[in-house]
Amino acid sequence: MEQVNIAVVGLGRMGKRHVHTLLYRVPRARVIAVCSATPEEVQWANNNQEYKEFGISVYDNYNDMLTHPKLAAVWISTSTDVHASQSLAAIERGLHVLCEKPLSTDLEEAQSVVDAAKKHPQLKVMAGFSRRFDASYRDAAVKIHDGKAIGDPFVVRSNTCDLLDNIGFFVRYASRNGGIFVDCAIHDIDLSLWYLGNPVPKACWAIGTLQHHPELKEFNDVDNAVGVVEFWGGKIAYFYCSRTQAHGHDVCTEITGTTGKVMVNVFPRANNVVLADRLGLRNEVQPEYWQRFEDAFATEANEFISSIVRNEPVPLPMETGIVVMRIGRALQEALCTGNVVRFDQNGNLAT
Amino acid sequence: MEQVNIAVVGLGRMGKRHVHTLLYRVPRARVIAVCSATPEEVQWANNNQEYKEFGISVYDNYNDMLTHPKLAAVWISTSTDVHASQSLAAIERGLHVLCEKPLSTDLEEAQSVVDAAKKHPQLKVMAGFSRRFDASYRDAAVKIHDGKAIGDPFVVRSNTCDLLDNIGFFVRYASRNGGIFVDCAIHDIDLSLWYLGNPVPKACWAIGTLQHHPELKEFNDVDNAVGVVEFWGGKIAYFYCSRTQAHGHDVCTEITGTTGKVMVNVFPRANNVVLADRLGLRNEVQPEYWQRFEDAFATEANEFISSIVRNEPVPLPMETGIVVMRIGRALQEALCTGNVVRFDQNGNLAT
Amino acid sequence: MEQVNIAVVGLGRMGKRHVHTLLYRVPRARVIAVCSATPEEVQWANNNQEYKEFGISVYDNYNDMLTHPKLAAVWISTSTDVHASQSLAAIERGLHVLCEKPLSTDLEEAQSVVDAAKKHPQLKVMAGFSRRFDASYRDAAVKIHDGKAIGDPFVVRSNTCDLLDNIGFFVRYASRNGGIFVDCAIHDIDLSLWYLGNPVPKACWAIGTLQHHPELKEFNDVDNAVGVVEFWGGKIAYFYCSRTQAHGHDVCTEITGTTGKVMVNVFPRANNVVLADRLGLRNEVQPEYWQRFEDAFATEANEFISSIVRNEPVPLPMETGIVVMRIGRALQEALCTGNVVRFDQNGNLAT
Amino acid sequence: MEQVNIAVVGLGRMGKRHVHTLLYRVPRARVIAVCSATPEEVQWANNNQEYKEFGISVYDNYNDMLTHPKLAAVWISTSTDVHASQSLAAIERGLHVLCEKPLSTDLEEAQSVVDAAKKHPQLKVMAGFSRRFDASYRDAAVKIHDGKAIGDPFVVRSNTCDLLDNIGFFVRYASRNGGIFVDCAIHDIDLSLWYLGNPVPKACWAIGTLQHHPELKEFNDVDNAVGVVEFWGGKIAYFYCSRTQAHGHDVCTEITGTTGKVMVNVFPRANNVVLADRLGLRNEVQPEYWQRFEDAFATEANEFISSIVRNEPVPLPMETGIVVMRIGRALQEALCTGNVVRFDQNGNLAT
């Protein structure tokens, strides 16, 4: 059986999980290398018995890893600030790329990756918007796009609410993630474009508050925010992002149309268990997006690998993320300035 | 406006609530008297400011109360052992009667009330199966009986599960209530007859266990029990009764038919509130059947009073309870003996 | 028993229901009159058998009705444009007033009623924000205000979404209702002030769309809108209002705090029934706010009447509605202009 | 990396899915062969492109397949009547065995496999009770067995309700599956033993009905049945099995204890999507147990393979199924005879 030799770069929480996904759920992929610039992560990988069993080489230098003679593809799961440069380097080496969102917090840099990918049409270069691979979000898309379930969709409400992080994990990366609307709402923005039929943004506004992480103030960021986007043609999307939920990872989306509404995960549940006791009836909630989207990551990885094996288009080309990022940055600007950010009919910032 | 002068006999937890229902939700009724044989209850009523405002007379003797010259109707909410005799006495005085279930734990005595009611057709004599007046149970009945929602109904599952009573309230009455299937399951049996189209019982079996109230052993009773009833014609009902729930009053019913299933209150909820916190998502549960069936009691009372005012048939004649009681007692017998209790095709106990 | 003689003015859908509530659920009130300026409604009332039984006089002229010698209180349930003038006239006649929201779409006029009420402290003059009397919203308030359930509340999301009105009922009144944020969101704004501890508005923005009722365009109104309000002190409220839902009356509120979230009616349910058939599992939804808030109206009416009988403060004084209206009108202005509307630290419009 | 060479025998609906699970989710297994005695299935497998890519050999004779020199393990997914003989043959060939439930409808035959497994302690011989590997059922077990969540468990209610099979698939196998309590309830019985701490059966009774499949009558079977089991020590389990659900595969379990209740999948949901339209709010339901238990099968397969690789005990030894089968057959006997079936204190049938 043909297998695609792949490496995972970045061995943070998600990088390790992507290795796991590739090992356990993607039979046509073969993980031959991993890489991290963080010494603790490199050491952890070197000591990992499972990695040894599966014959995975561990690198502490990305460019060195790219020279691995058998390498065919990389899954980039590092911090956002190096996504673009690592993608470009891989493309230049003739490697297929699956890059986690967002490609970059800088739109020009993001565009440069899109351009590089276009110059190498034989390479599969894909944006990692994992929710697009989730069974529930896909079911919602089928229901919406067949035009029968809810008529014409015109409002999307979407939340990305993380469990309060008491160990400071996310704050460490806060300076590099582009702000709450770029880091958190990016999936919600992407979903709203998907479900509303790629409308063009017209105006947006946002407000936020600091409730648990006052240290974000120095990055002009907040830990809870609400943003609203108006699109040309009478469509609306609005978002709530939070870093501080008590009950778990709570990601939901509602799409309202002219004859109905589709709700995705409005009541989050960790599993099918309900406990009845003196407090009433209750269910637990997934702690992180990993538990919520584990299957979506497996689908994403299989479809990426399959596009390589069969030489077919990737399910989500890189340019998908460009408009998303433009809106995310506009919301972040509105959040910082307090002003409405407006776009012309082509979706370019109005001057 | 014509008002029906009514008295409530029994001022236990439910008697007081029935007075409240009549005062606040039944404008065509006028509570002119209450009665209790319990001195504490009489004293409580005598001191009750609201009763004074509404001009309610308090009696400590039922027969005295019956001589009240303006009295037209009584709502009997005493313990089961006097339901029948109080109903008979009221009928003899020419009064309309709404008697709480069950009419009696003795089938002959119950029949004597039914017979007395038949002899006085001008009197409205009604069985208090309150769930028949609940909006959800009625909606289920409409869905089932129109034949479209679930096809032909053939299995009923029904639970009556009470919150654990740590103050010994129910145990005090346990010697008189006829046992768990007579006291608890009677509504469930009634519902199963209603939804299944009054099928005739063929056989039943039951088992039980003592988990919290070992003192019930002396009454040959249990605090949790499961019973199954087979009806002639291939229909089935099964019941779970419990005195010991931790989470509240949990009463649910499922009716399965050939093309669908109707579920009533399978997830009990005290109200529309859900709390999300570190334990997950939870809702509270009603503590008692009063909270669950408060509106049903108001509907029941209004329909009873309306049948008097308009001289129309009562919605639930007394005989409704006779077959219910026969099945309840058969289940109780199966529970005690461990044997299957069988009925002939007329629903009489097989010999 | 002392009864408060009350009249209901306005016999539209809600006026009739308020009469019903007073007749069936408020024993200390006595409806002695109703009034409507609409001939069809007057005729309907004159022919109403129940009104005759209860001895209710029917008026076609409000001022005539006010001269009824026994009248003590009025419940004003007319269209918004006459709320204030009718309230003022009643106050001048020395009558207690329960006036449906909003008091007026004109802030000065609304203030004049508040002022008049203050001049007559012996009169009970109350704002009809019915959701404040709903058991679930009250339970949420208790949970939030005790400070333990969710910590410090800082974000409120609240929706008022009506079933699509295909018979043109609401459009007929659209020219007088002040616009979607004044007519629909007013309860949501009120709830957000209640739950967030009466914060002062700082800025707001809103967008809307026309999906089913293009005729609203001439009133500068929309049939679906999203609005966001920032309060001084880092609190946020955001609203979605819709006139065009397919599934029913869907009113929900979520209050997020530092340690938890309270959700009210996020999954609307008409009752406790779930139907399982080839489409899956489903529950019906209440068609109108009447079904959702019937109990709340009864509580509201009883508390209003009780404040008269006991000469105690009304639960919701008229001034409650002033800040609410100010925010509602600012959202409506933002909707019309596309601009952010800002307030100073006293909650006055910034110039 | 060491991989266990495994074959799947039986290429019906589940056999194909087990191959898929092994290929996609069990990296330490290598499917080297499949086998079916059904010509259409053999042909299907021979034409299967994926099987070719993965290098899977296709056999039409089980004994031939067993001679494959590299084979280490077999997954037996044939019809129940050959489970035992195929297990015995594999054990004799020195192969590890994962055999789908039930081992046999004949208790002696089942015991012979258990005995053979004991004689070959180096072989991993495992019973395929897939629900034991489901995340929700495991979460329930953890909650129950730690003794804190619900106190002492004493009642289990468990359902296995299949979607109505209009194409006659299951009826074809009905003559060989041992009846509804052996084929359907076996998982429910197993769960009740697991959660109740392996109690010893004391008595059981069952009733059933034929609603859609009258042709089952010739096998003394029914398409809907309710069974109750009493255990020594005051514990109770009761089951509802159905072949005729309209809404999907509905498998739920409730475990009641002295201080709480755990509910598993009481509201079945296909995914996280809810559709709101004029019918109300609804979710779809999984059509088959495959969709419900896909992850459980992957966990089961990985744990079986891991027990081989690490030479550790299998998570579920064969004897687990013996008591389960004894109860299943007793319920089936009660169903056929209408009589209570009783056991002595050792769990042997009372004579």
PDB file of all heavy atoms in Angstrom, chain A residues 77-101:
ATOM      1  N   SER A  77       2.089  22.869  12.718  1.00  0.00           N
ATOM      2  CA  SER A  77       1.291  23.065  13.926  1.00  0.00           C
ATOM      3  C   SER A  77       2.071  23.860  14.953  1.00  0.00           C
ATOM      4  O   SER A  77       2.070  23.560  16.140  1.00  0.00           O
ATOM      5  CB  SER A  77       0.896  21.686  14.468  1.00  0.00           C
ATOM      6  OG  SER A  77       0.100  21.815  15.613  1.00  0.00           O
ATOM      7  N   THR A  78       2.754  24.839  14.467  1.00  0.00           N
ATOM      8  CA  THR A  78       3.567  25.716  15.322  1.00  0.00           C
ATOM      9  C   THR A  78       2.756  26.947  15.713  1.00  0.00           C
ATOM     10  O   THR A  78       1.569  27.009  15.462  1.00  0.00           O
ATOM     11  CB  THR A  78       4.834  26.127  14.542  1.00  0.00           C
ATOM     12  OG1 THR A  78       4.437  26.476  13.215  1.00  0.00           O
ATOM     13  CG2 THR A  78       5.834  24.978  14.489  1.00  0.00           C
ATOM     14  N   SER A  79       3.439  27.950  16.324  1.00  0.00           N
ATOM     15  CA  SER A  79       2.698  29.170  16.649  1.00  0.00           C
ATOM     16  C   SER A  79       2.501  29.994  15.373  1.00  0.00           C
ATOM     17  O   SER A  79       3.259  29.874  14.406  1.00  0.00           O
ATOM     18  CB  SER A  79       3.420  29.970  17.735  1.00  0.00           C
ATOM     19  OG  SER A  79       4.691  30.360  17.284  1.00  0.00           O
ATOM     20  N   THR A  80       1.457  30.821  15.388  1.00  0.00           N
ATOM     21  CA  THR A  80       1.007  31.508  14.170  1.00  0.00           C
ATOM     22  C   THR A  80       2.120  32.297  13.490  1.00  0.00           C
ATOM     23  O   THR A  80       2.182  32.371  12.256  1.00  0.00           O
ATOM     24  CB  THR A  80      -0.164  32.440  14.525  1.00  0.00           C
ATOM     25  OG1 THR A  80      -1.238  31.636  15.012  1.00  0.00           O
ATOM     26  CG2 THR A  80      -0.632  33.235  13.320  1.00  0.00           C
ATOM     27  N   ASP A  81       3.033  32.867  14.269  1.00  0.00           N
ATOM     28  CA  ASP A  81       4.022  33.774  13.676  1.00  0.00           C
ATOM     29  C   ASP A  81       4.978  33.092  12.697  1.00  0.00           C
ATOM     30  O   ASP A  81       5.603  33.776  11.883  1.00  0.00           O
ATOM     31  CB  ASP A  81       4.797  34.507  14.772  1.00  0.00           C
ATOM     32  CG  ASP A  81       5.393  33.547  15.790  1.00  0.00           C
ATOM     33  OD1 ASP A  81       4.888  32.404  15.898  1.00  0.00           O
ATOM     34  OD2 ASP A  81       6.356  33.913  16.464  1.00  0.00           O
ATOM     35  N   VAL A  82       5.086  31.761  12.755  1.00  0.00           N
ATOM     36  CA  VAL A  82       5.977  31.088  11.797  1.00  0.00           C
ATOM     37  C   VAL A  82       5.222  30.245  10.771  1.00  0.00           C
ATOM     38  O   VAL A  82       5.835  29.578   9.939  1.00  0.00           O
ATOM     39  CB  VAL A  82       7.049  30.224  12.519  1.00  0.00           C
ATOM     40  CG1 VAL A  82       7.987  31.126  13.315  1.00  0.00           C
ATOM     41  CG2 VAL A  82       6.400  29.199  13.426  1.00  0.00           C
ATOM     42  N   HIS A  83       3.907  30.257  10.830  1.00  0.00           N
ATOM     43  CA  HIS A  83       3.126  29.458   9.871  1.00  0.00           C
ATOM     44  C   HIS A  83       3.511  29.752   8.419  1.00  0.00           C
ATOM     45  O   HIS A  83       3.759  28.848   7.621  1.00  0.00           O
ATOM     46  CB  HIS A  83       1.624  29.724  10.041  1.00  0.00           C
ATOM     47  CG  HIS A  83       1.005  29.041  11.222  1.00  0.00           C
ATOM     48  ND1 HIS A  83      -0.319  29.197  11.574  1.00  0.00           N
ATOM     49  CD2 HIS A  83       1.534  28.184  12.128  1.00  0.00           C
ATOM     50  CE1 HIS A  83      -0.584  28.478  12.647  1.00  0.00           C
ATOM     51  NE2 HIS A  83       0.526  27.869  13.008  1.00  0.00           N
ATOM     52  N   ALA A  84       3.554  31.037   8.105  1.00  0.00           N
ATOM     53  CA  ALA A  84       3.770  31.408   6.705  1.00  0.00           C
ATOM     54  C   ALA A  84       5.182  31.047   6.256  1.00  0.00           C
ATOM     55  O   ALA A  84       5.371  30.426   5.202  1.00  0.00           O
ATOM     56  CB  ALA A  84       3.504  32.905   6.524  1.00  0.00           C
ATOM     57  N   SER A  85       6.166  31.405   7.054  1.00  0.00           N
ATOM     58  CA  SER A  85       7.548  31.140   6.619  1.00  0.00           C
ATOM     59  C   SER A  85       7.793  29.630   6.513  1.00  0.00           C
ATOM     60  O   SER A  85       8.465  29.166   5.587  1.00  0.00           O
ATOM     61  CB  SER A  85       8.549  31.791   7.579  1.00  0.00           C
ATOM     62  OG  SER A  85       8.375  31.264   8.886  1.00  0.00           O
ATOM     63  N   GLN A  86       7.232  28.863   7.434  1.00  0.00           N
ATOM     64  CA  GLN A  86       7.427  27.412   7.341  1.00  0.00           C
ATOM     65  C   GLN A  86       6.685  26.830   6.143  1.00  0.00           C
ATOM     66  O   GLN A  86       7.177  25.905   5.489  1.00  0.00           O
ATOM     67  CB  GLN A  86       6.970  26.748   8.642  1.00  0.00           C
ATOM     68  CG  GLN A  86       7.912  27.097   9.815  1.00  0.00           C
ATOM     69  CD  GLN A  86       7.554  26.369  11.098  1.00  0.00           C
ATOM     70  OE1 GLN A  86       6.411  25.960  11.291  1.00  0.00           O
ATOM     71  NE2 GLN A  86       8.538  26.224  11.974  1.00  0.00           N
ATOM     72  N   SER A  87       5.521  27.382   5.861  1.00  0.00           N
ATOM     73  CA  SER A  87       4.801  26.909   4.678  1.00  0.00           C
ATOM     74  C   SER A  87       5.612  27.203   3.421  1.00  0.00           C
ATOM     75  O   SER A  87       5.774  26.344   2.539  1.00  0.00           O
ATOM     76  CB  SER A  87       3.433  27.599   4.581  1.00  0.00           C
ATOM     77  OG  SER A  87       2.607  27.227   5.643  1.00  0.00           O
ATOM     78  N   LEU A  88       6.125  28.442   3.320  1.00  0.00           N
ATOM     79  CA  LEU A  88       6.903  28.817   2.132  1.00  0.00           C
ATOM     80  C   LEU A  88       8.122  27.923   1.966  1.00  0.00           C
ATOM     81  O   LEU A  88       8.428  27.451   0.855  1.00  0.00           O
ATOM     82  CB  LEU A  88       7.337  30.285   2.240  1.00  0.00           C
ATOM     83  CG  LEU A  88       6.212  31.307   2.030  1.00  0.00           C
ATOM     84  CD1 LEU A  88       6.687  32.708   2.391  1.00  0.00           C
ATOM     85  CD2 LEU A  88       5.708  31.260   0.585  1.00  0.00           C
ATOM     86  N   ALA A  89       8.824  27.671   3.058  1.00  0.00           N
ATOM     87  CA  ALA A  89      10.022  26.822   2.984  1.00  0.00           C
ATOM     88  C   ALA A  89       9.665  25.424   2.504  1.00  0.00           C
ATOM     89  O   ALA A  89      10.385  24.816   1.697  1.00  0.00           O
ATOM     90  CB  ALA A  89      10.708  26.778   4.351  1.00  0.00           C
ATOM     91  N   ALA A  90       8.557  24.896   2.995  1.00  0.00           N
ATOM     92  CA  ALA A  90       8.151  23.552   2.582  1.00  0.00           C
ATOM     93  C   ALA A  90       7.773  23.534   1.105  1.00  0.00           C
ATOM     94  O   ALA A  90       8.145  22.607   0.368  1.00  0.00           O
ATOM     95  CB  ALA A  90       6.984  23.075   3.445  1.00  0.00           C
ATOM     96  N   ILE A  91       7.016  24.546   0.687  1.00  0.00           N
ATOM     97  CA  ILE A  91       6.633  24.607  -0.731  1.00  0.00           C
ATOM     98  C   ILE A  91       7.874  24.659  -1.612  1.00  0.00           C
ATOM     99  O   ILE A  91       7.968  23.979  -2.634  1.00  0.00           O
ATOM    100  CB  ILE A  91       5.716  25.828  -0.961  1.00  0.00           C
ATOM    101  CG1 ILE A  91       4.361  25.605  -0.281  1.00  0.00           C
ATOM    102  CG2 ILE A  91       5.506  26.086  -2.457  1.00  0.00           C
ATOM    103  CD1 ILE A  91       3.472  26.839  -0.213  1.00  0.00           C
ATOM    104  N   GLU A  92       8.849  25.476  -1.183  1.00  0.00           N
ATOM    105  CA  GLU A  92      10.083  25.569  -1.978  1.00  0.00           C
ATOM    106  C   GLU A  92      10.804  24.225  -2.074  1.00  0.00           C
ATOM    107  O   GLU A  92      11.478  23.947  -3.049  1.00  0.00           O
ATOM    108  CB  GLU A  92      11.010  26.623  -1.367  1.00  0.00           C
ATOM    109  CG  GLU A  92      10.594  28.033  -1.800  1.00  0.00           C
ATOM    110  CD  GLU A  92      11.207  29.091  -0.897  1.00  0.00           C
ATOM    111  OE1 GLU A  92      12.309  28.846  -0.353  1.00  0.00           O
ATOM    112  OE2 GLU A  92      10.558  30.148  -0.717  1.00  0.00           O
ATOM    113  N   ARG A  93      10.660  23.412  -1.026  1.00  0.00           N
ATOM    114  CA  ARG A  93      11.298  22.083  -1.060  1.00  0.00           C
ATOM    115  C   ARG A  93      10.438  21.077  -1.819  1.00  0.00           C
ATOM    116  O   ARG A  93      10.764  19.900  -1.866  1.00  0.00           O
ATOM    117  CB  ARG A  93      11.489  21.556   0.370  1.00  0.00           C
ATOM    118  CG  ARG A  93      12.501  22.288   1.219  1.00  0.00           C
ATOM    119  CD  ARG A  93      13.929  21.956   0.880  1.00  0.00           C
ATOM    120  NE  ARG A  93      14.204  20.513   0.835  1.00  0.00           N
ATOM    121  CZ  ARG A  93      15.378  19.971   0.582  1.00  0.00           C
ATOM    122  NH1 ARG A  93      16.420  20.753   0.336  1.00  0.00           N
ATOM    123  NH2 ARG A  93      15.544  18.662   0.536  1.00  0.00           N
ATOM    124  N   GLY A  94       9.315  21.536  -2.368  1.00  0.00           N
ATOM    125  CA  GLY A  94       8.461  20.613  -3.137  1.00  0.00           C
ATOM    126  C   GLY A  94       7.619  19.710  -2.261  1.00  0.00           C
ATOM    127  O   GLY A  94       7.262  18.593  -2.656  1.00  0.00           O
ATOM    128  N   LEU A  95       7.282  20.182  -1.055  1.00  0.00           N
ATOM    129  CA  LEU A  95       6.503  19.350  -0.146  1.00  0.00           C
ATOM    130  C   LEU A  95       5.045  19.820  -0.089  1.00  0.00           C
ATOM    131  O   LEU A  95       4.755  21.004  -0.203  1.00  0.00           O
ATOM    132  CB  LEU A  95       7.116  19.432   1.267  1.00  0.00           C
ATOM    133  CG  LEU A  95       8.565  18.968   1.378  1.00  0.00           C
ATOM    134  CD1 LEU A  95       9.104  19.237   2.785  1.00  0.00           C
ATOM    135  CD2 LEU A  95       8.684  17.472   1.043  1.00  0.00           C
ATOM    136  N   HIS A  96       4.161  18.863   0.086  1.00  0.00           N
ATOM    137  CA  HIS A  96       2.762  19.176   0.350  1.00  0.00           C
ATOM    138  C   HIS A  96       2.649  19.759   1.758  1.00  0.00           C
ATOM    139  O   HIS A  96       3.401  19.376   2.649  1.00  0.00           O
ATOM    140  CB  HIS A  96       1.902  17.911   0.245  1.00  0.00           C
ATOM    141  CG  HIS A  96       2.083  17.162  -1.040  1.00  0.00           C
ATOM    142  ND1 HIS A  96       1.646  17.632  -2.257  1.00  0.00           N
ATOM    143  CD2 HIS A  96       2.671  15.964  -1.301  1.00  0.00           C
ATOM    144  CE1 HIS A  96       1.940  16.762  -3.200  1.00  0.00           C
ATOM    145  NE2 HIS A  96       2.570  15.732  -2.651  1.00  0.00           N
ATOM    146  N   VAL A  97       1.669  20.648   1.945  1.00  0.00           N
ATOM    147  CA  VAL A  97       1.571  21.361   3.227  1.00  0.00           C
ATOM    148  C   VAL A  97       0.120  21.395   3.732  1.00  0.00           C
ATOM    149  O   VAL A  97      -0.784  21.779   2.987  1.00  0.00           O
ATOM    150  CB  VAL A  97       2.062  22.826   3.073  1.00  0.00           C
ATOM    151  CG1 VAL A  97       1.837  23.604   4.379  1.00  0.00           C
ATOM    152  CG2 VAL A  97       3.523  22.860   2.673  1.00  0.00           C
ATOM    153  N   LEU A  98      -0.020  21.007   4.962  1.00  0.00           N
ATOM    154  CA  LEU A  98      -1.272  21.271   5.682  1.00  0.00           C
ATOM    155  C   LEU A  98      -0.911  22.216   6.818  1.00  0.00           C
ATOM    156  O   LEU A  98      -0.164  21.834   7.729  1.00  0.00           O
ATOM    157  CB  LEU A  98      -1.856  19.957   6.238  1.00  0.00           C
ATOM    158  CG  LEU A  98      -3.029  20.065   7.228  1.00  0.00           C
ATOM    159  CD1 LEU A  98      -4.133  20.965   6.721  1.00  0.00           C
ATOM    160  CD2 LEU A  98      -3.594  18.687   7.542  1.00  0.00           C
ATOM    161  N   CYS A  99      -1.394  23.462   6.731  1.00  0.00           N
ATOM    162  CA  CYS A  99      -0.995  24.465   7.725  1.00  0.00           C
ATOM    163  C   CYS A  99      -2.178  24.863   8.595  1.00  0.00           C
ATOM    164  O   CYS A  99      -3.245  25.236   8.092  1.00  0.00           O
ATOM    165  CB  CYS A  99      -0.413  25.696   7.032  1.00  0.00           C
ATOM    166  SG  CYS A  99       0.146  26.940   8.219  1.00  0.00           S
ATOM    167  N   GLU A 100      -1.972  24.791   9.896  1.00  0.00           N
ATOM    168  CA  GLU A 100      -3.012  25.207  10.837  1.00  0.00           C
ATOM    169  C   GLU A 100      -3.385  26.661  10.612  1.00  0.00           C
ATOM    170  O   GLU A 100      -2.572  27.475  10.191  1.00  0.00           O
ATOM    171  CB  GLU A 100      -2.510  25.031  12.280  1.00  0.00           C
ATOM    172  CG  GLU A 100      -2.409  23.583  12.701  1.00  0.00           C
ATOM    173  CD  GLU A 100      -3.726  22.869  12.540  1.00  0.00           C
ATOM    174  OE1 GLU A 100      -4.715  23.297  13.149  1.00  0.00           O
ATOM    175  OE2 GLU A 100      -3.783  21.883  11.771  1.00  0.00           O
ATOM    176  N   LYS A 101      -4.582  26.992  10.964  1.00  0.00           N
ATOM    177  CA  LYS A 101      -5.065  28.366  10.843  1.00  0.00           C
ATOM    178  C   LYS A 101      -4.495  29.191  11.975  1.00  0.00           C
ATOM    179  O   LYS A 101      -4.227  28.618  13.044  1.00  0.00           O
ATOM    180  CB  LYS A 101      -6.586  28.386  10.870  1.00  0.00           C
ATOM    181  CG  LYS A 101      -7.211  27.909  12.202  1.00  0.00           C
ATOM    182  CD  LYS A 101      -7.280  28.965  13.273  1.00  0.00           C
ATOM    183  CE  LYS A 101      -7.388  28.401  14.642  1.00  0.00           C
ATOM    184  NZ  LYS A 101      -7.192  29.377  15.723  1.00  0.00           N
TER     185      LYS A 101
END
